[in-house]
Amino acid sequence: MKSTALNAGPASAAAEPMQDSRQGGIRKTSRINRFMVSPSVIVLALWMVVPLSMTIYFSLIRYNLLYPGDNEFVGLENFQFFVTDFGFMAGMSNTLLLVGSVLLITVVLGVLISLLVNQAFWGRGIVRILLISPFFIMPTVNALIWKNLLLHPVSGVFAAIWKFFGATPIDWFSEFPLFSIIMIVSWQWLPFAILLLMTALQSLDQEQQEAARLDGAGPCALFFHLTLPHLARPIAVVVMIETIFLLSIFAEIFTTTGGGPGYETTNLAYLIYSQALLQFDVGLASAGGLIAVVLANIAAFFLVRLIGKSLTEKQ
Amino acid sequence: MANLTIKNLKKSFEATEILKGIDLEIKDNEFVVFVGPSGCGKSTLLRSIAGLEEVTSGHILLDHKEITDLAPAKRNLAMVFQSYALYPHMSVRKNMSFALELAKEKKDVINQKVAEAARILELEPLLDRKPKELSGGQRQRVAIGRAIVRQPKVFLFDEPLSNLDAALRVQMRLELARLHHDLNATMIYVTHDQVEAMTLADKVVVLRHGQIEQVGTPLELYRNPANRFVAGFLGMPKMSFLPGTVTALDASSVTVELTFGGSVTLPAAGEHLRRGSEVTVGVRPENIDLVDASEASLTGFMDIAENLGSDTYCYVKTDGQETLTVRMPGNFTCNYGDRIGLQLHADECHLFDEHGNAIQKPTQMAA
Ligand SMILES: Nc1ncnc2c1ncn2[C@@H]1O[C@H](COP(=O)(O)OP(=O)(O)O)[C@@H](O)[C@H]1O
Ligand SMILES: [Mg+2]
């Protein structure tokens, strides 16, 4: 019995001749398994539970750093305050707009570009590396590059192009603030999509393509009937992972527009930041954080329902 | 009607010439098998016919119409791939109807054709499954079904059975033969398995290094191989080869002194042989008898005997370390290391000159 438990493998358990002792072995095995993983589970649980309960606690009291000691219980007042604030609706819609547009841009462009670089051409290796490289640039640096080198209305590259064609340069961050942010973030995340889709394309079965060509499929039919279905899974991965990160975009906004003008580029993450550290209202920010957590969970729930199925499905 | 003519077809990948001038005539309703060792260019030839490879030079004609540069889809050929190449995201039904839908056929025509193919291949219960939910043999049948629904002029098969296990392979081989008979279709079939070639083909094309070695019916090739390569490639177990020297010859027979003992006089029209020419005698397993060592001039040691129940294949090592394969009845027994005499059926032996080309039998020359 002891040896069965220690070997812990299903094979050694199955080798046990008698039904009773085999079940006993498995039960014992799973108990030992549980014991072995418990340290990491406990650490992880503490890691989550402590900050979460602190946040919940802060969200239920008045806690403004400007008025120390004035910490009485206020119930859901912080939540009510956060939700009814004008910035909340703006933050919500900006977050959705930002996430949605960046997803759309990165997926569509990602598919097209990865299809393009999947063709054999001279210098493909270099082009691929160049395409991936923006991903390795820190968000802050990326935003600064865009702000000072590309979009700057006086010294930016875009301004130079506009001037070259005789047009008036655009002051991107004041005229199209959210669009500018979307551009910057898309540039940052496009390589991620390309990377995943490019690798997926390489595993596209050549003989299937040939069979389809013999069946009379042109480039369009090939794309819609073979390539796109094949890319469904990596696209799902791109959408899920990007959504997680895009919901909490912060550095790009902080370094460029600072959430403005007005609330035009304030997303939820930035709103919470401004509540906590610009208005020093920790209670309100905690409430906002909890709302964001709930929203992220709702988004995650739908994402998993929508596309998670294709991930867990066996290929 | 589907007559395929291939004229001086050449194909190079960069500097390497893979097909070195193929000339071939394939008639309507023929089952043609391309056979040859791995890497000899069988697939390349098939893919060139299908239009999946651009040929370097030469012509392919289908019913006297040039199709050499036609797009694959326009050639009216269907191909079954070794990996089956089923569309993984489509159901079996959709896999089979895909080509018809692209060709904008009417719905009821498509349904009827798919149903017909499914009936022939016994795929009806599987029509709504995805390829990944099928076994290897079923996938194979779907791949064939996908070809059938298009009613192509020529079916192309690239080693379609090589991914199946042995039992299934035999079964599918029979089904393919039946299918060829039922559909009355022209089929070109690539394989490296000479058993498939022998059993399925109306016409076997033996390829080596991108060249055709011989074309003929399976029995023609088995009985009158044009050269040593074809002789060794067809037949299971392989033909055995014994080196020797010509000692006497006349118009209809040649006497060969074997290097490692014994001599045979075999019927052959050896006009271009002389006394002293180096030749090789080829003999198939069924054309050797094992006798007592004292009764034969060619002797050897018993190496391994494989008993298959119906037959026993004995591998005998001669003094020159060549291995001869001998077919004996299933009840034959002997021991490893026994000294044994070998008696060749001289009439059935094959003679090859020093270049490996066969020296024809005189009767065949007359006929
Ligand atoms: N796309 C290709 N590029 C370069 N060489 C190739 C290509 N396809 C096949 N070959 C070469 O052509 C030869 C014949 O290949 P193939 O026709 O596949 O042989 P087989 O008779 O085994 O089917 C092989 O030596 C292979 O390396
Ligand atoms: Mg091949």
Side-chain angles (χ1 to χ4, degrees):
Chain A
M1 267 324 295
K2 191 144 205 163
S3 77
T4 319
L6 284 177
N7 284 340
S12 66
E16 203 76 24
M18 279 169 64
Q19 190 71 21
D20 293 352
S21 66
R22 178 157 67 194
Q23 278 183 354
I26 286 173
R27 213 174 297 139
K28 197 156 189 175
T29 309
S30 71
R31 210 184 308 144
I32 287 195
N33 284 352
R34 239 176 285 156
F35 177 73
M36 300 293 256
V37 297
S38 56
S40 44
V41 171
I42 289 169
V43 167
L44 271 176
L46 285 179
W47 201 263
M48 271 179 55
V49 167
V50 170
L52 185 65
S53 35
M54 279 176 71
T55 313
I56 292 176
Y57 171 66
F58 290 155
S59 72
L60 297 175
I61 58 171
R62 171 168 303 151
Y63 188 2
N64 194 314
L65 298 177
L66 294 177
Y67 311 101
D70 188 10
N71 289 352
E72 80 267 25
F73 181 78
V74 291
L76 297 176
E77 202 174 273
N78 280 325
F79 290 91
Q80 197 197 351
F81 209 76
F82 188 85
V83 171
T84 50
D85 184 44
F86 175 70
F88 177 70
M89 278 324 286
M92 278 289 281
S93 63
N94 285 338
T95 305
L96 290 181
L97 221 62
L98 182 63
V99 173
S101 327
V102 174
L103 281 180
L104 194 71
I105 291 171
T106 51
V107 168
V108 172
L109 279 185
V111 169
L112 295 180
I113 292 177
S114 50
L115 277 177
L116 215 59
V117 295
N118 200 39
Q119 318 289 324
F121 58 87
W122 190 84
R124 181 166 71 166
I126 303 271
V127 170
R128 281 184 179 177
I129 291 172
L130 286 177
L131 278 171
I132 306 301
S133 54
F135 199 48
F136 300 116
I137 298 174
M138 269 182 271
T140 332
V141 178
N142 165 26
L144 283 176
I145 290 173
W146 276 83
K147 185 182 182 182
N148 297 330
L149 295 181
L150 295 173
L151 298 182
H152 198 277
V154 178
S155 58
V157 172
F158 281 37
I161 295 173
W162 257 247
K163 269 185 236 158
F164 179 81
F165 288 108
T168 330
I170 299 171
D171 185 0
W172 290 90
F173 288 114
S174 55
E175 285 174 59
F176 308 103
L178 189 60
F179 180 75
S180 307
I181 301 281
I182 289 170
M183 255 195 315
I184 295 173
V185 177
S186 298
W187 188 79
Q188 174 94 30
W189 280 93
L190 187 56
F192 176 71
I194 293 177
L195 186 68
L196 252 69
L197 298 173
M198 205 163 65
T199 7
L201 276 181
Q202 278 162 4
S203 69
L204 193 57
D205 188 281
Q206 222 44 52
E207 286 199 339
Q208 280 168 24
Q209 306 263 315
E210 290 174 344
R213 269 172 65 204
L214 276 170
D215 272 351
C220 275
L222 277 181
F223 176 76
F224 284 110
H225 290 290
L226 284 182
T227 314
L228 209 52
H230 178 77
L231 290 181
R233 197 188 280 239
I235 287 177
V237 174
V238 168
V239 169
M240 286 187 71
I241 293 182
E242 284 197 6
T243 307
I244 293 166
F245 283 91
L246 294 177
L247 277 172
S248 58
I249 283 290
F250 177 78
E252 289 85 342
I253 298 173
F254 182 73
T255 23
T256 53
T257 61
Y263 279 116
E264 276 192 50
T265 54
T266 301
N267 66 353
L268 277 184
Y270 195 85
L271 186 66
I272 294 164
Y273 155 80
S274 65
Q275 301 285 6
L277 291 165
L278 298 182
Q279 299 168 28
F280 302 103
D281 195 336
V282 177
L284 197 57
S286 299
L290 284 176
I291 287 170
V293 166
V294 170
L295 288 178
N297 272 300
I298 292 172
F301 176 78
F302 280 111
L303 275 177
V304 170
R305 281 292 291 275
L306 270 173
I307 51 188
K309 225 167 47 186
S310 86
L311 282 179
T312 48
E313 205 174 78
K314 274 191 240 105
Q315 187 101 42
Chain B
M1 279 292 285
N3 291 300
L4 193 75
T5 311
I6 297 172
K7 285 188 193 154
N8 198 20
L9 189 76
K10 292 185 183 171
K11 167 74 189 167
S12 307
F13 287 112
E14 271 117 52
T16 15
E17 192 165 50
I18 303 297
L19 299 178
K20 300 166 187 167
I22 303 281
D23 286 291
L24 191 62
E25 191 80 45
I26 293 169
K27 295 202 197 67
D28 198 25
N29 296 347
E30 243 179 352
F31 198 121
V32 178
V33 174
F34 296 167
V35 69
S38 265
C40 70
K42 308 179 295 285
S43 298
T44 308
L45 177 55
L46 197 73
R47 292 165 55 80
S48 304
I49 295 173
L52 297 172
E53 302 282 0
E54 248 176 76
V55 304
T56 311
S57 70
H59 300 277
I60 306 171
L61 295 98
L62 184 61
D63 292 334
H64 312 291
K65 274 212 331 263
E66 178 93 35
I67 60 164
T68 320
D69 298 315
L70 217 55
K74 300 235 167 76
R75 298 187 180 205
N76 211 347
L77 313 169
M79 184 152 167
V80 175
F81 293 83
Q82 182 175 1
S83 67
Y84 317 136
L86 299 180
Y87 311 129
H89 310 280
M90 301 181 193
S91 65
V92 169
R93 188 193 304 279
K94 190 91 200 317
N95 260 285
M96 296 208 280
S97 64
F98 186 58
L100 301 177
E101 278 163 18
L102 287 174
K104 306 242 185 318
E105 287 253 19
K106 285 206 195 66
K107 261 266 157 358
D108 48 333
V109 177
I110 295 178
N111 287 340
Q112 185 233 319
K113 282 183 176 172
V114 170
E116 173 70 9
R119 188 188 58 75
I120 295 173
L121 295 165
E122 292 164 18
L123 286 171
E124 280 138 332
L126 310 175
L127 277 177
D128 293 311
R129 296 217 197 151
K130 291 273 175 66
K132 67 183 166 211
E133 298 160 337
L134 303 176
S135 71
Q138 290 167 337
R139 283 179 205 187
Q140 180 61 71
R141 278 214 281 273
V142 176
I144 294 172
R146 199 167 60 179
I148 288 178
V149 293
R150 292 179 48 201
Q151 299 174 327
K153 287 196 168 179
V154 183
F155 286 88
L156 308 174
F157 296 92
D158 192 352
E159 310 216 11
L161 306 186
S162 56
N163 286 352
L164 302 178
D165 65 57
L168 208 50
R169 205 176 305 167
V170 174
Q171 188 198 332
M172 284 304 294
R173 207 167 70 204
L174 293 173
E175 284 189 29
L176 274 174
R178 181 177 58 98
L179 201 65
H180 174 238
H181 180 263
D182 290 353
L183 295 177
N184 232 341
T186 312
M187 296 187 170
I188 306 178
Y189 186 101
V190 161
T191 181
H192 63 261
D193 178 1
Q194 51 96 22
V195 178
E196 280 172 27
M198 295 292 289
T199 52
L200 285 172
D202 296 321
K203 182 149 99 187
V204 178
V205 178
V206 182
L207 289 164
R208 178 167 66 151
H209 300 325
Q211 270 167 329
I212 293 183
E213 293 285 320
Q214 195 176 4
V215 180
T217 66
L219 274 187
E220 268 168 27
L221 265 58
Y222 191 76
R223 296 219 176 108
N224 297 310
N227 53 43
R228 220 184 121 160
F229 174 78
V230 176
F233 196 79
L234 295 180
M236 188 75 203
K238 277 187 184 346
M239 184 185 274
S240 311
F241 296 102
L242 295 164
T245 320
V246 175
T247 52
L249 74 166
D250 59 37
S252 64
S253 76
V254 177
T255 303
V256 180
E257 175 86 40
L258 299 176
T259 314
F260 300 102
S263 73
V264 275
T265 305
L266 37 109
E271 284 102 17
H272 69 282
L273 291 179
R274 283 171 289 105
R275 290 170 116 248
S277 296
E278 298 281 325
V279 291
T280 307
V281 173
V283 53
R284 295 206 183 269
E286 61 266 36
N287 297 327
I288 310 179
D289 283 330
L290 292 184
V291 294
D292 206 69
S294 58
E295 290 173 27
S297 49
L298 178 61
T299 58
F301 287 100
M302 179 61 75
D303 191 2
I304 301 290
E306 289 177 336
N307 197 320
L308 304 181
S310 58
D311 297 306
T312 305
Y313 289 112
C314 302
Y315 299 90
V316 180
K317 274 224 159 72
T318 67
D319 298 334
Q321 294 302 309
E322 305 127 320
T323 303
L324 287 182
T325 315
V326 184
R327 191 177 81 185
M328 296 299 285
N331 56 10
F332 177 82
T333 49
C334 61
N335 294 317
Y336 178 83
D338 283 355
R339 186 138 193 103
I340 262 175
L342 297 148
Q343 194 118 54
L344 312 183
H345 300 183
D347 289 352
E348 311 284 346
C349 285
H350 301 266
L351 192 62
F352 304 98
D353 65 18
E354 73 264 47
H355 304 298
N357 292 322
I359 290 153
Q360 293 302 320
K361 305 222 162 94
T363 44
Q364 252 80 28
M365 295 291 283

